[in-house]
Amino acid sequence: MGADRETAESPAFYREQEQAASSTAEKRTLQRLRKAYRHAAPFDPRYPNTNKTKYCWSNFVDFQRCLKIKGEDHAPCDYFKFIYTQTCPQQWREKWGEQLDEGVFVARI
């Protein structure tokens, strides 16, 4: 599933990958991801309040962990990226990106 990050954020990407998928589990995962990109970030019952700071933070960290464990080419990681780009302010994302580059990010990844 080698694709650049911008291409991997579109539902068309997941539709193409779904058609090429070999297993049913992979097809189901790709179907869920394609549907997730139709709307804004879905409701998460772990964060029912209007303050979505924790929701933003946990999805950013989950995305970084997924990249570390599964690698850049693992398309399901993009779900976490979609959520944190929808819920986190740009300033936070830039700051956390800089902290990751400098090796001083506070979360264990």
Side-chain angles (χ1 to χ4, degrees):
M1 285 192 197
D4 64 5
R5 296 316 246 178
E6 299 303 317
T7 306
E9 290 185 21
S10 70
F13 171 78
Y14 291 109
R15 190 177 304 111
E16 292 168 7
Q17 294 299 317
E18 182 183 330
Q19 292 169 351
S22 56
S23 70
T24 12
E26 187 177 2
K27 286 181 182 182
R28 279 195 307 263
T29 301
L30 290 165
Q31 285 173 349
R32 284 190 216 120
L33 287 168
R34 184 170 43 92
K35 289 177 184 176
Y37 283 110
R38 291 182 186 165
H39 307 288
F43 175 74
D44 190 337
R46 297 174 296 168
Y47 310 103
N49 301 325
T50 55
N51 184 354
K52 299 295 182 187
T53 305
K54 179 77 171 157
Y55 189 38
C56 157
W57 169 261
S58 62
N59 279 287
F60 181 81
V61 172
D62 289 343
F63 174 69
Q64 299 303 324
R65 287 178 180 156
C66 186
L67 287 181
K68 181 178 179 183
I69 294 169
K70 300 291 186 176
E72 293 279 332
D73 294 337
H74 192 66
C77 294
D78 291 328
Y79 174 77
F80 298 117
K81 181 179 180 182
F82 174 74
I83 301 297
Y84 89 76
T85 55
Q86 294 291 315
T87 56
C88 299
Q90 181 67 29
Q91 297 167 315
W92 294 1
R93 290 181 279 162
E94 290 172 359
K95 179 181 176 184
W96 295 337
E98 291 170 5
Q99 290 175 347
L100 281 169
D101 293 340
E102 295 169 2
V104 293
F105 191 65
V106 296
R108 291 184 185 162
I109 296 177

